Every structure is written in structure tokens, then in C-alpha cells.
Amino acid sequence: MEYQTPKFFHVMQYADAADGDTIDMVSGNPDWEPPTAIREGLHEYADGDADEFQYPPSDGLRPLREEIAARRNVDAGRVVVTNGTGEANYLGMARALDGDRGNEVVLIDPVYPYYPGKASMLGGETRLVAADRDGSLDTDATCEAINDDTALVVLNTPNNPTGAVYDLDAVEAVVETAADHDALVVVDEVYDHFDFSGEFESALTLDADNVIVTSGVSKSMAITGFRVGYAVFPPALVDAAKTRHMLVNVTTSRPAQQAVYEAYRATDPDYYADARDRLESRIETFTTALDAARADYTRPDGAFYVLARFDGFPGTMANVKTLIDEAGVAGMPGATFGTAREAWIRFALVTPRVEAAAERLVDYFAD
Amino acid sequence: MEYQTPKFFHVMQYADAADGDTIDMVSGNPDWEPPTAIREGLHEYADGDADEFQYPPSDGLRPLREEIAARRNVDAGRVVVTNGTGEANYLGMARALDGDRGNEVVLIDPVYPYYPGKASMLGGETRLVAADRDGSLDTDATCEAINDDTALVVLNTPNNPTGAVYDLDAVEAVVETAADHDALVVVDEVYDHFDFSGEFESALTLDADNVIVTSGVSKSMAITGFRVGYAVFPPALVDAAKTRHMLVNVTTSRPAQQAVYEAYRATDPDYYADARDRLESRIETFTTALDAARADYTRPDGAFYVLARFDGFPGTMANVKTLIDEAGVAGMPGATFGTAREAWIRFALVTPRVEAAAERLVDYFAD
């Protein structure tokens, strides 16, 4: 396993070094304020007793685990608090590849690049299945790809990068087929607070014993740097995951856990609704510009990315650099996300400058 | 890999449920105040810009990495900031077991139980080599255990549980023998601030290209719950470790990193010296009591544990429970730490009640 500087950093470095002003539509960091209770929670923690600076339980502070369990309507014993959704996915995927379920990992293309990276690190072989044209799950193709060598299917809904919100029926079909072949399904729901369709339903509602659901507050609370996520395991799978969590990380950083717990309790639903409204307005602005630029795209139902294809301007790394130099807008090359959208560019809408970026793209492509 | 509730929790639960007052000498949490700058750093961070709440660089905040690099006299490019020393050890051990170096892992008995746990999780086979009678490295036996199937040797100095501070010559002999067999050596120096002998020298001074040194501030800054540690890799090994760190954890929690950075800069050497003085005084008190109780022990040169053996009272789980019930002192059964000290009990001196514990042991054993 050799280190590759992720394309993400490569594009960011190029944009930083560029002569002109560049609008960053690369990174997936929310650009808005975290809940006030995050700041207050840290202040309160900082003044606490010295023994609150010591190891919390390995699987997470008990009130935080209980809060998560109540919100997800599961038993707290199934919840492991992790170092971000990233570790939650690692634990879930490891659970599938640990035993004798096989070594194939079915991923949906376009794919969030950490999934094949983790699969490979854990000894799995990735098998990519193309999503439907609009980014939704191609149920038939996905089920056909599952066989007795399949250990794991990873789904992500709302989806990065397509913005699709998967139909629960489609997820259920995949989960059932996976169960027939003794395979697990990890469903990454980290964008669960960014559903514009009103139709997102968690895979936890399936109550299936081969489904691991992961999520976190990096995006919903705008604190990607805190690293607080969680995984909800079926009862029979949770103990081995706790062991791995303990052996890798011992536990998740306590100041961050405590601040997140306070924010869960104190944050009004309006906070999340405001973020959704802000993003919907940006989506409207940005897709109107894409229409004017005669680009191909699917309007996202969730998350905060737009994949777009410009006529005669495939989304290669070279063209992404050209767009930085000549239009002052930085996106991500489609090849970052597997093979199905190599001609596309992903734009993240987590910048207050979406309107300016939209104007720049119109100027560049519509002339 | 099935979950085992660590013996640690088992003893703690038993002590909590006991009728009488029990002095906890089980857990390795410092019982003193963290540096003031940790609290101040958290307050300052809590009031920072929203963009400081987003992803730091995967390998750690740059000023923190540079601070660590300067203190350890290495290039900052070799440093990865990790989720505690636990993750640092995981990354170092994984680097050894990742390739085709073999699958044997040589560990020193008595052994910190996370090492064999991690080795097994990473597909390694543990081979235990007994330490010398006083806990120091048996150089000949260790070197003899290294062969072409050896991927890794893990050393811990100052040592938990023996309190030994290894001779740098002995470490060097092991490192050279490991190099002859293409094996790596992970040296866990997390107790580096707790050297009472004045003779501790870091394995980094060997400047060997098969040595990975791990450490952290959990113990030195009395913040085991923050999870800030680091690993220093040889230049040729660092990139793959960064990849694994990114794929497992993305990065280490930023509020904790920032507070530790502030504490590194603002904390006077007296803070660490006071902790050492406090522990030396406790060691004196406790070992005087062990003499009175006619126990066998080696006075620790470092770390903050004492291993003791009482005549006719082997350190089994049953006897540890008896000691809780009848003397009101909780220690750890020797079998927690491999096979070499099964008859012994480990007492952690990170409680302000060492004197009372010492009196209780004298009362119990000297009568």
C-alpha cells in the first residue's frame, strides 16, 4: 500500500498557487457556523475536573451513545462512537472482511474514493457497479454483482458525489440479496441531514441483521475537524467492532465528544433547516448557471455536490486546471470518483461564493 | 477476532461493586492537573473562526508537527500526529506486517496487552521473550528470537508494567539484529517523561532506518482522554503510514491537537519535574511498604507502576479480588501481562492515596 497524495490535495495546491482569484469548490467542509452549543460545550469542558480529561469509555461517553441511540431508535449497545464517519466506515468494512465471507467488495460508481482505498487496505477486491444515469441505485446490476465471494456492499445515501437519495426499496433489495450470500452492507448516511427530497429513509428502518449504518456530525454540525462519528451494528456484530476500535484508537477524543453531546441537546431543528435552505438556494443558483452554460447535470436530491459535464470539455485533471486558470473556479476531476463519471466535474456548494462561481462558469462556457 | 472485556474493566467493575472503600491502583490515568495551557488552549480554540473547526491536514496541524519534530530532533516530514499513542503503535505495527517481511512479532514478556492484541488483529503471530529478572531487556534471548519470519519487534521503554528503562546499547543490538532479518522495531516511548534513572535515551538517537518511535502526551500532560500521540517513521516508511492513517481516521481531532500545541509551547519544565517528584515520593512510600510486607519487587526506574509478588499469595484474578475485599486495594493480576509474571500484581501509582494503600498492604500482609 503506497501513499498517493489524494487528487483533492493536488487540485487544492494547484488552486492555491494559481495567479488569479480561485473559488474553491473542491473541499467538502461546510462554510457555515457550527451550533453555538459546540463552542459553549468546549468552554464548559475546558473548566471541568481533571478526571474528565482522562479516558472515556472506549465505545464513547455514555450520554452521547444514549443520545445517538435515541435519535436513531436503536439500543445503545449497538452504537460505537468513532473518530469520525471515516473510522465508522473502516470498522464496518473491516467487520465484513475479517472473517470468511469472501473478499469482494461491491461499490457503486461514481464512488467516494475512500471506499476502494479502505477495501484494498483491508484485503478486499473492489467491484464497481455503475449507478443509474441520475445517480440512483441500479438495483438489478447491483444485485447481479453480488455472489458468494462478496463480503460487503457499501452504499452512500444521500450520495457523494451524485446527490442521489436512494429509494429504501432499492436498498432493501440489495440488503436481501447480500443476506442470501452472507454479505454485509455498510450504509454511509453522513449526509442524512441534507435531504432536499423529503424522501430519505435510513437503512436502520430495515432492521436487518446484515446492515451496518454509519454517520457522524462532521457535516451536519459543520465540524469536520472534530472527528465525531458513529456506527450502528447489528447486535451479533458489535463486539468485534468494539475490539477493533479499542485496538486501533482506544477511544474517540473526549473534548470533541463532550461538545457534540451538548450540541445534540441544545441545538434547535432550525439550525439544520437553515443549512438545508442555504444549500437549496445555492443549488438553484448553480444549476441555473449550468443550464446557461449548456452543461449536463442532475439536480441533487441530497448532500451538497453537483456533478456537471460540459460539452467538449471533459473533466480531466488538465481541464480542471484550465478551469482554475481561465475561469477561477476549482472543482474535482471525475476520475477521482471511479470510472463512470470520468468526463464530469464535481462542484462542492459549501462556499459562500456559489453565485460568483456560477457567473464565472456562465461567462466561460456560454460565450 | 471476538471481543473480550479487558481484565482492566473486570477488576474495575469488581472494585466498584465491592462493599468497602477500595483504592484504585488499576488504571493508568494520571491523577494530577493537566498543564494550565491545555485549558486555556481549549478556551481559545472554542472562540476561533469557523474554518478552524474544519479538517486539519491529515498528518496533523503543521505547527504541532513542527513542534514535535523540533523536540525529537527529526524532520517534520517523518512525524504523523495520531489518535493517541495507541494509533501510533497500530500504524507502526501495521507497517511491519503490511508487506512481505514475515508474520512473527517478537514481544517482551511481561507485555502491555494491547501489543499482542494489535499483532493478532494485523495477522501477526506473537512470540514472547521473557525480560530479565529486573524487567530489563534480555538482549541475547531477544536477538535469538528474531529470524527471517520476524516482521517486527515491539519494545516499550520506560516499561509498563516493569518500570525498567532499557539500556540504549541493548536496544541497538536488537535493532541491528532486526535489520539483519529485514524486521522493523517499534519503540513505544510514551513514558519518556517519567524517567527517574536519568539514563533514558530515545531510540531515535540510533537514527536507524528500521526503527519507528511512538509517543504521545496522554501521560506527560495528564490528558489520556484527548488522544494526541505521534509516530516518527524512517523516511522510506512514512508515506504508507500516512495513507493508512488517512484511510482509518482521516485525521486527529483538532481541538485536542490545538490545545496540545499550546501546552507544548507554554508549559514550564517544572510541570514535568513536579510530576516526576510526586511519583518518586510515591514509589518510596510504596516500596517501603512492600519491604514491610516482605514482598518481592523491583524498584521502577521509569513509568508509574510497581510489580510485586507476595509470598503465598499469587497474583491471580481470585487473589486480586480477595485483596479488594479484604485489604481495600485494587491492582491488576499478573496474567494480564503475558506469562512471565503470572504470580505478580501490578499497582499503578497514579492515585493520591498511595500512602493509605501502602498502609493497607502492610496491615494485610505483615500481620
Side-chain angles (χ1 to χ4, degrees):
Chain A
M1 183 175 61
E2 292 309 318
Y3 183 65
Q4 292 190 306
T5 306
K7 291 194 179 68
F8 174 88
F9 296 113
H10 188 77
V11 175
M12 291 294 289
Q13 278 162 5
Y14 188 87
D16 285 346
D19 284 338
D21 166 67
T22 304
I23 300 174
D24 169 15
M25 303 187 82
V26 175
S27 47
N29 296 332
D31 61 299
W32 51 85
E33 266 288 311
T36 317
I38 287 286
R39 296 179 181 278
E40 291 167 354
L42 277 183
H43 279 303
E44 202 177 314
Y45 178 83
D47 290 330
D49 287 345
D51 63 3
E52 290 169 34
F53 287 47
Q54 307 307 325
Y55 296 119
S58 178
D59 51 8
L61 287 170
R62 198 184 175 102
L64 175 59
R65 285 174 61 225
E66 286 173 351
E67 179 72 29
I68 292 166
R71 284 166 181 263
R72 304 310 301 253
N73 195 28
V74 297
D75 187 273
R78 296 175 55 193
V79 176
V80 184
V81 177
T82 56
N83 191 66
T85 313
E87 193 213 336
N89 287 328
Y90 162 77
L91 293 181
M93 293 175 69
R95 195 65 193 93
L97 289 160
D98 240 4
D100 52 6
R101 294 175 196 276
N103 75 332
E104 283 190 17
V105 179
V106 173
L107 301 174
I108 310 302
D109 188 358
V111 66
Y112 174 59
Y114 275 56
Y115 301 149
K118 285 176 212 266
S120 158
M121 179 178 73
L122 290 162
E125 294 280 335
T126 288
R127 190 163 171 172
L128 290 176
V129 177
D132 267 351
R133 175 68 183 73
D134 66 353
S136 63
L137 207 51
D138 183 337
T139 318
D140 289 347
T142 307
C143 290
E144 275 162 30
I146 298 169
N147 61 68
D148 286 343
D149 293 329
T150 307
L152 171 67
V153 183
V154 182
L155 305 178
N156 171 218
T157 176
N159 188 267
N160 171 13
T162 66
V165 172
Y166 294 168
D167 234 47
L168 191 63
D169 288 347
V171 174
E172 186 169 27
V174 171
V175 165
E176 284 176 358
T177 304
D180 291 343
H181 296 276
D182 192 30
L184 302 183
V185 182
V186 168
V187 187
D188 178 347
E189 301 182 349
V190 71
Y191 294 100
D192 55 5
H193 282 63
F194 303 99
D195 167 35
F196 315 116
S197 69
E199 290 178 6
F200 170 75
E201 289 177 278
S202 170
L204 285 172
T205 61
L206 298 175
D207 204 22
D209 63 9
N210 64 328
V211 170
I212 297 160
V213 167
T214 63
S215 194
V217 297
S218 293
K219 313 289 183 179
S220 60
M221 293 188 184
I223 48 169
T224 53
F226 276 48
R227 317 308 307 135
V228 179
Y230 59 86
V232 181
F233 288 88
L237 301 180
V238 70
D239 282 351
K242 287 184 180 181
T243 299
R244 182 176 283 266
H245 173 62
M246 183 180 287
L247 289 174
V248 171
N249 278 329
V250 184
T251 182
T252 299
S253 185
R254 188 163 175 172
Q257 285 195 56
Q258 185 65 36
V260 166
Y261 171 66
E262 299 297 340
Y264 263 131
R265 290 170 55 92
T267 305
D268 196 271
D270 287 350
Y271 172 81
Y272 306 105
D274 287 350
R276 271 191 299 275
D277 290 348
R278 188 180 303 121
L279 285 167
E280 283 202 88
S281 154
R282 289 177 183 175
I283 289 168
E284 182 59 31
T285 301
F286 198 71
T287 54
T288 300
L290 291 178
D291 288 331
R294 292 183 300 276
D296 199 1
Y297 69 91
T298 297
R299 190 185 174 96
D301 282 334
F304 39 62
Y305 308 96
V306 176
L307 270 174
R309 182 172 58 179
F310 300 95
D311 201 30
F313 191 87
T316 58
M317 180 62 86
N319 275 339
V320 161
K321 290 179 177 175
T322 300
L323 207 59
I324 290 171
D325 291 332
E326 299 185 2
V329 177
M332 277 295 284
T336 312
F337 308 100
T339 59
R341 295 291 189 282
E342 283 182 335
W344 301 61
I345 299 175
R346 188 196 76 171
F347 298 95
L349 302 188
V350 279
T351 163
R353 301 177 71 198
V354 168
E355 194 166 342
E359 286 167 11
R360 290 180 184 188
L361 291 177
V362 172
D363 286 347
Y364 189 71
F365 286 109
D367 288 347
Chain B
M1 185 175 59
E2 293 308 319
Y3 184 67
Q4 290 191 308
T5 305
K7 290 194 182 71
F8 174 88
F9 297 113
H10 188 77
V11 175
M12 291 294 288
Q13 278 162 6
Y14 188 86
D16 285 346
D19 284 338
D21 165 66
T22 304
I23 299 175
D24 168 16
M25 301 188 83
V26 174
S27 47
N29 294 333
D31 61 300
W32 51 86
E33 265 288 311
T36 317
I38 286 287
R39 296 179 182 278
E40 290 167 355
L42 277 183
H43 279 302
E44 201 178 314
Y45 179 84
D47 289 330
D49 288 345
D51 62 4
E52 290 169 34
F53 287 47
Q54 307 307 326
Y55 295 118
S58 177
D59 50 9
L61 287 170
R62 197 184 175 101
L64 176 59
R65 284 174 62 227
E66 286 173 351
E67 180 73 27
I68 292 166
R71 283 166 181 264
R72 305 311 299 256
N73 195 27
V74 297
D75 188 272
R78 297 174 55 191
V79 177
V80 184
V81 177
T82 57
N83 192 67
T85 313
E87 194 215 346
N89 287 329
Y90 162 76
L91 293 182
M93 293 175 70
R95 193 66 194 93
L97 289 160
D98 241 4
D100 51 6
R101 294 176 196 273
N103 76 333
E104 282 190 18
V105 179
V106 172
L107 301 174
I108 309 303
D109 190 356
V111 66
Y112 174 59
Y114 274 56
Y115 302 149
K118 285 177 211 263
S120 157
M121 178 178 74
L122 290 162
E125 293 281 336
T126 288
R127 188 162 172 175
L128 291 177
V129 176
D132 265 353
R133 177 67 185 71
D134 65 355
S136 63
L137 206 51
D138 182 336
T139 318
D140 290 347
T142 308
C143 290
E144 273 163 32
I146 299 170
N147 61 68
D148 285 343
D149 293 330
T150 308
L152 171 66
V153 182
V154 182
L155 305 178
N156 171 217
T157 177
N159 188 267
N160 170 14
T162 66
V165 171
Y166 293 169
D167 235 44
L168 190 63
D169 287 347
V171 173
E172 185 168 27
V174 171
V175 165
E176 284 175 359
T177 304
D180 291 343
H181 295 276
D182 192 31
L184 302 184
V185 182
V186 168
V187 187
D188 178 347
E189 301 182 350
V190 71
Y191 294 101
D192 54 6
H193 281 64
F194 302 98
D195 166 37
F196 315 116
S197 68
E199 290 178 7
F200 171 73
E201 287 177 280
S202 170
L204 285 172
T205 61
L206 299 175
D207 203 22
D209 63 8
N210 65 328
V211 170
I212 298 161
V213 167
T214 63
S215 193
V217 297
S218 292
K219 311 290 183 179
S220 60
M221 293 189 186
I223 49 170
T224 53
F226 275 48
R227 316 308 306 136
V228 179
Y230 60 87
V232 181
F233 289 88
L237 301 179
V238 71
D239 282 352
K242 286 183 180 181
T243 298
R244 182 176 284 265
H245 174 62
M246 184 180 287
L247 289 172
V248 170
N249 277 329
V250 183
T251 182
T252 299
S253 186
R254 188 163 175 172
Q257 284 195 57
Q258 185 65 37
V260 166
Y261 171 66
E262 299 296 340
Y264 263 132
R265 289 170 56 91
T267 304
D268 194 272
D270 285 351
Y271 173 81
Y272 306 105
D274 287 351
R276 270 191 300 275
D277 289 348
R278 188 180 302 121
L279 284 167
E280 283 203 86
S281 152
R282 289 177 183 174
I283 289 169
E284 181 60 31
T285 301
F286 197 72
T287 54
T288 300
L290 290 178
D291 288 332
R294 292 184 298 276
D296 198 0
Y297 69 91
T298 298
R299 191 185 173 98
D301 282 332
F304 40 61
Y305 308 96
V306 176
L307 272 174
R309 183 171 58 178
F310 299 94
D311 200 31
F313 192 86
T316 58
M317 180 64 85
N319 275 340
V320 160
K321 289 179 177 175
T322 300
L323 207 58
I324 290 170
D325 292 331
E326 300 185 1
V329 177
M332 279 294 285
T336 311
F337 308 99
T339 58
R341 295 290 189 283
E342 284 182 337
W344 300 62
I345 299 176
R346 188 195 75 172
F347 298 95
L349 302 188
V350 280
T351 163
R353 301 177 71 197
V354 168
E355 193 166 344
E359 285 167 10
R360 290 181 184 188
L361 291 177
V362 172
D363 285 348
Y364 188 71
F365 286 108
D367 288 348

CSV table of all heavy atoms in Angstrom, one decimal, chain A residues 222-252:
chain,number,residue,atom,x,y,z
A,222,ALA,N,-21.1,21.0,11.0
A,222,ALA,CA,-20.1,21.8,10.4
A,222,ALA,C,-18.8,21.8,11.2
A,222,ALA,O,-18.2,22.8,11.5
A,222,ALA,CB,-20.6,23.3,10.2
A,223,ILE,N,-18.4,20.6,11.6
A,223,ILE,CA,-17.2,20.4,12.4
A,223,ILE,C,-16.4,19.2,11.9
A,223,ILE,O,-16.2,18.2,12.6
A,223,ILE,CB,-17.5,20.2,14.0
A,223,ILE,CG1,-18.6,19.2,14.2
A,223,ILE,CG2,-17.9,21.6,14.6
A,223,ILE,CD1,-18.8,18.8,15.6
A,224,THR,N,-16.0,19.3,10.7
A,224,THR,CA,-15.2,18.2,10.1
A,224,THR,C,-13.9,17.9,10.8
A,224,THR,O,-13.5,16.7,10.8
A,224,THR,CB,-14.9,18.4,8.6
A,224,THR,OG1,-14.3,19.7,8.5
A,224,THR,CG2,-16.2,18.5,7.7
A,225,GLY,N,-13.4,18.9,11.5
A,225,GLY,CA,-12.1,18.7,12.2
A,225,GLY,C,-12.3,18.0,13.6
A,225,GLY,O,-11.3,17.7,14.2
A,226,PHE,N,-13.5,17.9,14.1
A,226,PHE,CA,-13.6,17.3,15.4
A,226,PHE,C,-13.5,15.8,15.4
A,226,PHE,O,-13.1,15.2,16.4
A,226,PHE,CB,-15.0,17.7,16.0
A,226,PHE,CG,-15.0,19.1,16.7
A,226,PHE,CD1,-14.5,20.2,16.0
A,226,PHE,CD2,-15.5,19.3,17.9
A,226,PHE,CE1,-14.5,21.4,16.6
A,226,PHE,CE2,-15.5,20.5,18.5
A,226,PHE,CZ,-15.0,21.6,17.9
A,227,ARG,N,-13.9,15.1,14.3
A,227,ARG,CA,-13.8,13.7,14.2
A,227,ARG,C,-14.8,13.0,15.3
A,227,ARG,O,-14.3,12.3,16.1
A,227,ARG,CB,-12.4,13.1,14.4
A,227,ARG,CG,-11.3,13.9,13.6
A,227,ARG,CD,-11.6,14.1,12.2
A,227,ARG,NE,-11.9,12.9,11.5
A,227,ARG,CZ,-12.9,12.8,10.6
A,227,ARG,NH1,-13.7,13.8,10.3
A,227,ARG,NH2,-13.1,11.7,9.9
A,228,VAL,N,-16.0,13.3,15.1
A,228,VAL,CA,-17.0,12.5,15.9
A,228,VAL,C,-18.0,11.9,15.0
A,228,VAL,O,-18.8,12.6,14.3
A,228,VAL,CB,-17.7,13.4,17.0
A,228,VAL,CG1,-18.8,12.6,17.7
A,228,VAL,CG2,-16.7,14.0,17.9
A,229,GLY,N,-18.0,10.6,14.9
A,229,GLY,CA,-19.0,9.8,14.1
A,229,GLY,C,-19.4,8.6,14.9
A,229,GLY,O,-19.1,8.5,16.1
A,230,TYR,N,-20.2,7.8,14.2
A,230,TYR,CA,-20.6,6.6,14.9
A,230,TYR,C,-21.0,5.5,13.9
A,230,TYR,O,-21.3,5.8,12.8
A,230,TYR,CB,-21.8,6.9,15.9
A,230,TYR,CG,-23.0,7.4,15.2
A,230,TYR,CD1,-24.0,6.6,14.7
A,230,TYR,CD2,-23.2,8.8,15.1
A,230,TYR,CE1,-25.1,7.1,14.1
A,230,TYR,CE2,-24.4,9.3,14.5
A,230,TYR,CZ,-25.3,8.5,14.0
A,230,TYR,OH,-26.4,9.0,13.4
A,231,ALA,N,-21.0,4.3,14.4
A,231,ALA,CA,-21.5,3.2,13.6
A,231,ALA,C,-22.6,2.5,14.5
A,231,ALA,O,-22.4,2.3,15.7
A,231,ALA,CB,-20.4,2.2,13.2
A,232,VAL,N,-23.7,2.0,13.8
A,232,VAL,CA,-24.7,1.2,14.5
A,232,VAL,C,-24.6,-0.2,13.9
A,232,VAL,O,-24.8,-0.4,12.7
A,232,VAL,CB,-26.1,1.8,14.3
A,232,VAL,CG1,-27.1,0.9,15.0
A,232,VAL,CG2,-26.2,3.2,14.8
A,233,PHE,N,-24.2,-1.1,14.7
A,233,PHE,CA,-24.0,-2.5,14.3
A,233,PHE,C,-25.2,-3.4,14.6
A,233,PHE,O,-25.9,-3.1,15.7
A,233,PHE,CB,-22.8,-3.1,14.9
A,233,PHE,CG,-21.5,-2.6,14.4
A,233,PHE,CD1,-20.9,-1.4,15.0
A,233,PHE,CD2,-20.8,-3.2,13.3
A,233,PHE,CE1,-19.7,-0.9,14.5
A,233,PHE,CE2,-19.7,-2.6,12.9
A,233,PHE,CZ,-19.1,-1.5,13.4
A,234,PRO,N,-25.5,-4.4,13.9
A,234,PRO,CA,-26.4,-5.5,14.4
A,234,PRO,C,-25.8,-6.1,15.7
A,234,PRO,O,-24.6,-6.1,15.8
A,234,PRO,CB,-26.4,-6.5,13.3
A,234,PRO,CG,-25.8,-5.8,12.1
A,234,PRO,CD,-24.9,-4.8,12.6
A,235,PRO,N,-26.7,-6.5,16.6
A,235,PRO,CA,-26.2,-6.9,17.9
A,235,PRO,C,-25.1,-8.0,17.8
A,235,PRO,O,-24.1,-8.0,18.5
A,235,PRO,CB,-27.4,-7.5,18.6
A,235,PRO,CG,-28.5,-6.7,18.0
A,235,PRO,CD,-28.2,-6.4,16.6
A,236,ALA,N,-25.2,-8.9,16.8
A,236,ALA,CA,-24.2,-10.0,16.7
A,236,ALA,C,-22.9,-9.5,16.2
A,236,ALA,O,-21.9,-10.3,16.3
A,236,ALA,CB,-24.7,-11.1,15.8
A,237,LEU,N,-22.8,-8.3,15.7
A,237,LEU,CA,-21.5,-7.9,15.1
A,237,LEU,C,-20.8,-6.8,15.9
A,237,LEU,O,-19.7,-6.4,15.5
A,237,LEU,CB,-21.8,-7.3,13.7
A,237,LEU,CG,-22.4,-8.3,12.7
A,237,LEU,CD1,-22.6,-7.6,11.3
A,237,LEU,CD2,-21.5,-9.6,12.5
A,238,VAL,N,-21.4,-6.3,16.9
A,238,VAL,CA,-20.9,-5.1,17.6
A,238,VAL,C,-19.7,-5.4,18.4
A,238,VAL,O,-18.7,-4.6,18.5
A,238,VAL,CB,-22.0,-4.4,18.4
A,238,VAL,CG1,-22.4,-5.2,19.7
A,238,VAL,CG2,-21.6,-3.0,18.8
A,239,ASP,N,-19.6,-6.6,19.0
A,239,ASP,CA,-18.5,-6.8,20.0
A,239,ASP,C,-17.1,-6.8,19.3
A,239,ASP,O,-16.1,-6.2,19.7
A,239,ASP,CB,-18.7,-8.1,20.7
A,239,ASP,CG,-19.7,-8.0,21.9
A,239,ASP,OD1,-20.1,-6.8,22.1
A,239,ASP,OD2,-20.1,-9.0,22.5
A,240,ALA,N,-17.0,-7.5,18.1
A,240,ALA,CA,-15.8,-7.5,17.4
A,240,ALA,C,-15.4,-6.1,16.9
A,240,ALA,O,-14.2,-5.8,16.8
A,240,ALA,CB,-15.8,-8.5,16.2
A,241,ALA,N,-16.4,-5.3,16.6
A,241,ALA,CA,-16.1,-3.9,16.1
A,241,ALA,C,-15.6,-3.1,17.3
A,241,ALA,O,-14.6,-2.3,17.1
A,241,ALA,CB,-17.4,-3.3,15.5
A,242,LYS,N,-16.1,-3.3,18.5
A,242,LYS,CA,-15.6,-2.6,19.6
A,242,LYS,C,-14.1,-3.0,19.9
A,242,LYS,O,-13.3,-2.2,20.3
A,242,LYS,CB,-16.4,-2.9,20.9
A,242,LYS,CG,-17.8,-2.2,20.8
A,242,LYS,CD,-18.6,-2.5,22.1
A,242,LYS,CE,-19.9,-1.8,22.1
A,242,LYS,NZ,-20.7,-2.1,23.4
A,243,THR,N,-13.8,-4.3,19.7
A,243,THR,CA,-12.5,-4.7,19.9
A,243,THR,C,-11.5,-4.0,19.0
A,243,THR,O,-10.5,-3.5,19.4
A,243,THR,CB,-12.3,-6.2,19.7
A,243,THR,OG1,-13.1,-6.9,20.7
A,243,THR,CG2,-10.9,-6.7,19.9
A,244,ARG,N,-11.9,-4.0,17.7
A,244,ARG,CA,-11.0,-3.3,16.7
A,244,ARG,C,-10.9,-1.8,17.1
A,244,ARG,O,-9.8,-1.2,17.0
A,244,ARG,CB,-11.6,-3.5,15.3
A,244,ARG,CG,-10.7,-2.9,14.2
A,244,ARG,CD,-11.2,-3.2,12.8
A,244,ARG,NE,-10.8,-4.5,12.4
A,244,ARG,CZ,-9.7,-4.8,11.7
A,244,ARG,NH1,-8.9,-3.9,11.3
A,244,ARG,NH2,-9.5,-6.1,11.4
A,245,HIS,N,-12.0,-1.2,17.4
A,245,HIS,CA,-12.0,0.2,17.8
A,245,HIS,C,-11.0,0.5,18.9
A,245,HIS,O,-10.2,1.4,18.9
A,245,HIS,CB,-13.4,0.7,18.2
A,245,HIS,CG,-13.5,2.1,18.7
A,245,HIS,ND1,-13.1,3.2,18.0
A,245,HIS,CD2,-13.8,2.6,19.9
A,245,HIS,CE1,-13.3,4.3,18.7
A,245,HIS,NE2,-13.7,3.9,19.9
A,246,MET,N,-11.0,-0.4,19.9
A,246,MET,CA,-10.2,-0.3,21.1
A,246,MET,C,-8.7,-0.5,20.7
A,246,MET,O,-7.8,0.3,21.1
A,246,MET,CB,-10.6,-1.3,22.1
A,246,MET,CG,-9.8,-1.2,23.4
A,246,MET,SD,-10.3,-2.4,24.6
A,246,MET,CE,-11.9,-1.7,25.1
A,247,LEU,N,-8.5,-1.5,19.9
A,247,LEU,CA,-7.1,-1.8,19.5
A,247,LEU,C,-6.5,-0.8,18.6
A,247,LEU,O,-5.3,-0.6,18.5
A,247,LEU,CB,-7.0,-3.2,18.9
A,247,LEU,CG,-7.2,-4.4,19.8
A,247,LEU,CD1,-7.3,-5.7,19.0
A,247,LEU,CD2,-6.1,-4.4,20.9
A,248,VAL,N,-7.3,-0.1,17.8
A,248,VAL,CA,-6.8,0.9,16.8
A,248,VAL,C,-6.7,2.3,17.5
A,248,VAL,O,-5.6,2.9,17.4
A,248,VAL,CB,-7.7,1.0,15.6
A,248,VAL,CG1,-7.2,2.2,14.7
A,248,VAL,CG2,-7.6,-0.3,14.8
A,249,ASN,N,-7.7,2.7,18.2
A,249,ASN,CA,-7.8,4.1,18.7
A,249,ASN,C,-8.0,4.3,20.2
A,249,ASN,O,-8.0,5.4,20.6
A,249,ASN,CB,-9.0,4.8,18.0
A,249,ASN,CG,-8.6,5.3,16.6
A,249,ASN,OD1,-7.5,5.6,16.3
A,249,ASN,ND2,-9.6,5.3,15.7
A,250,VAL,N,-8.2,3.2,20.9
A,250,VAL,CA,-8.6,3.2,22.3
A,250,VAL,C,-10.0,3.8,22.5
A,250,VAL,O,-10.9,3.2,22.9
A,250,VAL,CB,-7.5,3.9,23.2
A,250,VAL,CG1,-8.0,3.8,24.7
A,250,VAL,CG2,-6.2,3.3,23.0
A,251,THR,N,-10.1,5.1,22.1
A,251,THR,CA,-11.4,5.8,22.2
A,251,THR,C,-11.3,7.0,21.3
A,251,THR,O,-10.3,7.3,20.7
A,251,THR,CB,-11.7,6.1,23.6
A,251,THR,OG1,-13.0,6.7,23.7
A,251,THR,CG2,-10.7,7.0,24.3
A,252,THR,N,-12.4,7.7,21.2
A,252,THR,CA,-12.5,9.0,20.5
A,252,THR,C,-12.3,10.2,21.4
A,252,THR,O,-12.7,10.1,22.6
A,252,THR,CB,-13.9,9.1,19.9
A,252,THR,OG1,-14.1,7.9,19.0
A,252,THR,CG2,-14.1,10.4,19.1
